Amino acid sequence: MKVKIDGVRSVRINGEYIKLDSLLKYTSIASTGGEAKHLINSGGVYVGKSVCTSRGKKIRPGDIIRIGESVILVK
């Protein structure tokens, strides 16, 4: 379920975590795995306040992801 609230997109996941590259595809920020990989490797993806360059980073409920102007709150 995706809900946009005040410029922050809230995304609910099922399970304990989702990998960062899968989250980018799930939210349609990246249309393919290769595009997700490029975004992550370019250093433009932040998990919390830190740049994340690991495609397999486990994203858990409560994490905030920022890519450019896009902000995702994982629930």
Side-chain angles (χ1 to χ4, degrees):
M1 180 171 157
K2 303 173 194 174
V3 180
K4 189 166 183 158
I5 303 171
D6 296 329
V8 176
R9 189 183 326 177
S10 178
V11 177
R12 186 171 310 278
I13 62 171
N14 295 324
E16 184 180 337
Y17 67 87
I18 185 171
K19 291 185 179 180
L20 180 58
D21 60 347
S22 296
L23 178 69
L24 296 182
K25 291 187 292 182
Y26 178 71
T27 57
S28 300
I29 289 174
S31 54
T32 66
E35 188 177 340
K37 179 180 177 180
H38 176 72
L39 283 170
I40 295 165
N41 288 338
S42 71
V45 179
Y46 290 79
V47 176
K49 294 181 181 180
S50 303
V51 172
C52 183
T53 56
S54 174
R55 294 184 323 169
K57 170 81 174 152
K58 293 178 181 178
I59 305 301
R60 301 176 191 283
D63 285 341
I64 297 174
I65 314 304
R66 185 170 50 88
I67 304 100
E69 297 297 316
S70 299
V71 178
I72 302 165
L73 171 61
V74 180
K75 293 186 172 189

